[in-house]
Amino acid sequence: MSYAAPLKDMLFNIKYLAGIDQIQQLPGMQDAGLDTTQAVLEEAAKFNEGVLSPLNWAGDQNPTSWKDGVVTATPGFKEAFQQFTEAGWQGLQHPVAYGGQGLPKTIGASVGEMQNAANMSFALLPLLTDGAIEALLTAGSPELNAVYLEKLVSGQWTGTMDLTEPQAGSDLAAVRTRAEPQPDGTYKIAGTKIFITWGEHELAENIIHLVLARVNGAPAGVKGISLFVVPKFMVNADGTLGARNDVHCVSIEHKLGIKASPTCVLQYGDNGGAAGYLVGEENRGLEYMFIMMNAARYGVGVQGIAIAERAYQTAVQFAKDRIQSRPVDGSLPAAGPIIHHPDVKRMLMTMRAYTEGCRALSSVAAAAYDVAHHSPDAEVAEQNETIYEFMVPLIKGFSTEMSQEVTSLGVQVHGGMGFIEETGCAQYYRDSKILTIYEGTTAIQANDLVGRKTARDGGQTAKALALQVETTEAALTALATPDALAMAKRLAAARLAFVDVVNFMAANAKSNPNDAYAGSVPYLMLAGNFMAGWQMGRALLVAHEALQRGEDTAFMQAKITTARFYADHILTKVPGLRDSIVDGAGSVTALALDAF
């Protein structure tokens, strides 16, 4: 159950697909070249393989506990978090002005994948702190940021996002937590928040909750929600910690997976009201929280890639070790390792191709984010922001649904042993399920893709990306190797299906919303599959060029083989998804409620 970071694949994506050399040319990114990238990733691999990974199984077997309001983490987690913060990993991609290292998301995403593959329960703590930092950087006042940001960036304090309530779920219009203005400019916060990841712990000296609440007299619905900073411990004028604030953990959930991560029920205001500080302006809280949510959604997509990689590595090692049955081609005189069997190869290659395709897509999206936030050319920045925003629901939705299939295949490769906890692959399967649910279910991501990312601009962003894919197809056709021609053919068929569905969504999202949204999740899966397939096509081109130079021939040939497998076995699903959406919408919407 050990983990080895896939450094070669990460560096391949960052160098060739994300274009780290171009990112290095952006203002403030001069130190973020390939040498820096490699050095950072190698150090991250040592930490995650050596410190976090050994705690993963322990966290599942001896999860976080709660008693009398006190949350106790899995033994070893506190010491690991201390090492994590002392090494500066929390501040990796945050501003130098607040003590961070200012490295691009393109590097940070790969480090985040390692953390989550090594120990997803642990990695949730810095992931949510990252989101809190982004929200404050965008909407926090200078006074608020002066108090909180440096401590969050260092990891000395951690952050949470407190949205959900018992009656609200994902419908934030139903939020009831109250905020009462005080004469000194603060607010008294009262209410209950549920599903708060790492909402209480003793790993850091303070916890900074970002809380959605309604100011007295605010408008109904989402337009009346405001965002507040509510610290676990009050912060004195000199920066030292004061009294405990009126927020307490009243229980933690007993979960299917990620058991070492405490999922808390937080009670605000049992003793007069928790002191809160307004972020930005009243009634704009959801707008600000979406900044945090978008960062978290991308991060959850990376979690899907991470857990898929962990499951793949475990399955490959088992398949090499497990002796059972003579190969069907008679290549061995007796029973041999099951990796010789064609269906085991098929399962392993499916796991590998999905994981590498999604990793490539996430790396390219991270590069778009970096350009959007650092390019001095406003038009280029806006174009890349639009691309990144389009990609986020795909990375969150497709990569996490993919992780369900990959971790399930990991169990299947193990056979009966996969159903036994001690092999470890059952944990990956259980841990992965939450990824399709939290930070917005797959359906919520799909609705976002249809409404905000496709219908709003008439499908123009999606079609512009399709034109870029067409350029890749032409390059593959010109290369004219059997693998390149097969990829070009599959990409072309997928592109036509993608554009057809984009047109369908743009035409029907408002006029026939039931038909459009009945196909929203299949559309997300189609688009994610297609965009990841595009990156695999680009990877095939790069790997062929590298082979011609004699560069790392084993790795490059494996990359071509994996891309070809993706084309033949995964990309081919896209036209069928098109049919289910465009031709099959009516068979969903025609169902009467009494059919259930």
Side-chain angles (χ1 to χ4, degrees), residues 199-409:
E200 175 61 32
H201 61 84
E202 298 299 322
L203 272 61
E205 63 182 39
N206 204 3
I207 304 171
I208 311 306
H209 304 291
L210 267 68
V211 183
L212 288 182
R214 293 186 185 282
V215 177
N216 294 346
V222 294
K223 294 182 179 180
I225 297 175
S226 300
L227 181 63
F228 300 88
V229 162
V230 183
K232 173 182 174 180
F233 291 103
M234 301 301 294
V235 183
N236 297 321
D238 62 358
T240 60
L241 298 183
R244 177 75 185 251
N245 206 353
D246 190 7
V247 51
H248 301 276
C249 176
V250 296
S251 67
I252 62 173
E253 306 297 347
H254 304 282
K255 301 173 296 187
L256 177 68
I258 54 168
K259 293 183 177 183
S261 163
T263 301
C264 302
V265 177
L266 295 182
Q267 188 67 35
Y268 290 86
D270 274 358
N271 298 295
Y277 304 86
L278 182 67
V279 177
E281 300 174 14
E282 287 186 3
N283 303 327
R284 295 182 64 185
L286 196 60
E287 173 190 341
Y288 304 143
M289 187 61 89
F290 261 109
I291 298 161
M292 192 174 186
M293 288 172 65
N294 235 21
R297 285 174 174 180
Y298 178 91
V300 172
V302 171
Q303 287 186 307
I305 299 162
I307 201 72
E309 174 67 33
R310 187 78 185 255
Y312 168 70
Q313 290 187 17
T314 302
V316 167
Q317 191 57 56
F318 181 85
K320 289 178 178 179
D321 294 339
R322 174 65 168 168
I323 306 297
Q324 185 172 305
S325 302
R326 185 184 180 192
V328 293
D329 63 357
S331 56
L332 294 176
I338 62 172
I339 202 166
H340 286 273
H341 302 320
D343 193 58
V344 173
K345 289 182 180 179
R346 177 194 62 81
M347 289 190 286
L348 293 174
M349 282 303 297
T350 300
M351 298 171 77
R352 177 176 177 157
Y354 265 130
T355 304
E356 290 191 11
C358 288
R359 179 182 294 123
L361 183 62
S362 72
S363 191
V364 168
Y369 176 95
D370 289 328
V371 175
H373 285 75
H374 295 281
S375 176
D377 187 319
E379 184 177 350
V380 170
E382 184 178 358
Q383 289 172 350
N384 279 272
E385 180 68 21
T386 301
I387 290 170
Y388 175 74
E389 291 292 331
F390 185 86
M391 294 293 189
V392 166
L394 306 186
I395 291 164
K396 200 288 184 184
F398 182 67
S399 297
T400 60
E401 292 286 348
M402 172 278 293
S403 75
Q404 282 279 277
E405 181 170 349
V406 168
T407 54
S408 177
L409 284 170

Side-chain angles (χ1 to χ4, degrees), residues 65-86:
S65 60
W66 174 92
K67 184 177 182 181
D68 298 329
V70 176
V71 171
T72 303
T74 299
F77 270 46
K78 185 170 185 176
E79 293 77 10
F81 188 70
Q82 183 176 355
Q83 293 181 58
F84 176 86
T85 56
E86 288 175 351

